[in-house]
Amino acid sequence: MVENEPLVVGGRKFGSRLVMGTGGASNLEILQRALVASGTELTTVAMRRVDVSGGTGLLDLLRRLGIEVLPNTAGCRSAAEAVLTARLAREALETDLVKLEVVADEQTLLPDPIELLDAAEQLVDDGFTVLPYTNDDPVLARKLEQAGCAAVMPLGSPIGTGLGIRNPHNIEMIVDRATVPVVLDAGIGTASEAAQAMELGCDAVLLATAVTRAGNPERMAHAMRLGVEAGLAARGAGRIPRRYWARASSPEREDG
Amino acid sequence: MQIWINGTEHGLDGAPTVADALSASGAPERGIAVAVDGDVVPRARWAGHELAEGARMEILTAVQGG
């Protein structure tokens, strides 16, 4: 992985390795400033019933900023619900990209692995470019890849918790075996954790809450951009091995 | 006849199509998708797809999320 290489997902190239979510921003003005500061080129939206009292202007904003839309299936609890939502998103937004989310319950928002894999297989068969939000489980990640997913997106910790990457070793195992891009999705709280994801070998980071609910979303978006870039650069540079005992970096004194 | 649009009951005259129901609902024309009784109705079929009595139509669009 070289720093200036683009992220390639399903044949599309992205110069930025920070995928943003739009959930949680208090208004579109704040969201716009955060998206610009993040440098993102790919951003998630959710599908919900039309509010006839007035559109949100969200799609116009993303179009104006030249950001590609990544519809999600947030809120779906079964494969059938997720497949229908993905088909509606493809129809509404004219994209075959989908961030596939099938969560098991509201308290954990953890993926339901059985429904997730079922939905992924159906959507791949139907011609979608599927990016599944998955557990940090190397076995499930591999099965999703074998099902034809264009990327795998393991969580660092549960959605919206900001607990960072709770099982870095699992993320490394997923990265080591994957032949599709690995996107660390969910749980990031601050920029050092975005950097850590890239140092572990992830190809990109997806986050929303850490920016949109930060004290200053625009500044945090900028910090996340730098964190992703720093982590990628460090990964490429090759870190020193960890040692048990100290090793002086200055030469020994000759009068000692 | 009575149909349901996004969970609200609507009375429409004659044999309404998806397109008729959309204009009655006040939904925007762009950036939306329609399902009737759990199946997607593609945009190209909106004008020809007639709704049955009691049909449940969902109109979705993109909102902030994820």
Side-chain angles (χ1 to χ4, degrees):
Chain A
M1 189 157 50
V2 179
E3 283 102 279
N4 55 9
E5 269 184 13
L7 169 70
V8 181
V9 178
R12 293 168 171 84
K13 289 184 181 174
F14 301 97
S16 166
R17 288 169 179 274
L18 179 54
V19 183
M20 289 287 293
T22 52
S26 48
N27 64 56
L28 283 184
E29 167 74 26
I30 288 171
L31 179 63
Q32 172 169 342
R33 290 214 295 263
L35 291 175
V36 170
S38 76
T40 189
E41 295 173 18
L42 179 65
T43 291
T44 68
V45 297
M47 299 302 296
R48 291 292 180 272
R49 284 175 169 174
V50 159
D51 176 7
V52 293
S53 64
T56 63
L58 177 63
L59 290 175
D60 289 335
L61 171 64
L62 296 178
R63 219 169 270 130
R64 202 165 63 241
L65 296 177
I67 296 173
E68 184 141 1
V69 177
L70 174 58
N72 70 26
T73 61
C76 293
R77 301 274 286 272
S78 68
E81 274 183 340
V83 167
L84 175 60
T85 302
R87 287 178 177 150
L88 285 164
R90 177 167 66 181
E91 179 72 14
L93 307 177
E94 294 168 0
T95 178
D96 64 355
L97 286 173
V98 63
K99 174 185 166 180
L100 177 61
E101 288 184 57
V102 191
V103 301
D105 64 75
E106 290 304 308
Q107 192 167 28
T108 66
L109 294 178
L110 289 171
D112 180 323
I114 294 158
E115 297 292 321
L116 179 68
L117 187 57
D118 182 3
E121 287 168 347
Q122 291 186 51
L123 290 172
V124 167
D125 282 350
D126 197 10
F128 282 88
T129 299
V130 181
L131 288 69
Y133 163 64
T134 176
N135 297 290
D136 58 355
D137 173 357
V139 178
L140 179 59
R142 178 162 254 206
K143 292 199 175 202
L144 288 163
E145 182 180 337
Q146 287 166 348
C149 291
V152 289
M153 306 208 295
L155 55 85
S157 51
I159 292 172
T161 59
L163 290 172
I165 301 172
R166 305 307 288 180
N167 197 336
H169 186 59
N170 273 27
I171 300 297
E172 279 187 305
M173 285 194 284
I174 291 171
V175 166
D176 278 347
R177 296 205 299 186
T179 61
V180 294
V182 177
V183 181
L184 197 291
D185 180 3
I188 298 291
T190 189
S192 57
E193 292 154 1
Q196 185 193 10
M198 299 305 289
E199 287 169 356
L200 291 170
C202 292
D203 296 280
V205 172
L206 195 163
L207 56 89
T209 308
V211 162
T212 59
R213 298 198 204 279
N216 184 323
E218 185 178 12
R219 287 174 71 176
M220 186 58 87
H222 181 64
M224 291 299 184
R225 175 186 194 157
L226 296 177
V228 167
E229 289 174 1
L232 181 63
R235 170 81 176 184
R239 61 153 296 146
I240 58 164
R242 288 177 173 82
R243 293 169 58 90
Y244 192 84
W245 294 112
R247 180 188 191 184
S249 56
S250 304
E252 281 181 39
R253 287 171 59 118
E254 286 156 4
D255 57 352
Chain B
M1 62 181 264
Q2 299 300 114
I3 63 159
W4 295 82
I5 301 177
N6 285 352
T8 305
E9 199 169 11
H10 287 253
L12 294 174
D13 294 332
T17 62
V18 167
D20 296 331
L22 277 171
S23 48
S25 76
E29 289 177 14
R30 288 172 50 243
I32 60 164
V34 173
V36 175
D37 297 329
D39 288 317
V40 179
V41 180
R43 185 172 289 264
R45 296 216 297 267
W46 287 353
H49 188 107
E50 285 187 11
L51 294 165
E53 177 73 36
R56 291 186 174 269
M57 180 164 140
E58 294 285 326
I59 312 169
L60 274 75
T61 192
V63 300
Q64 283 178 232

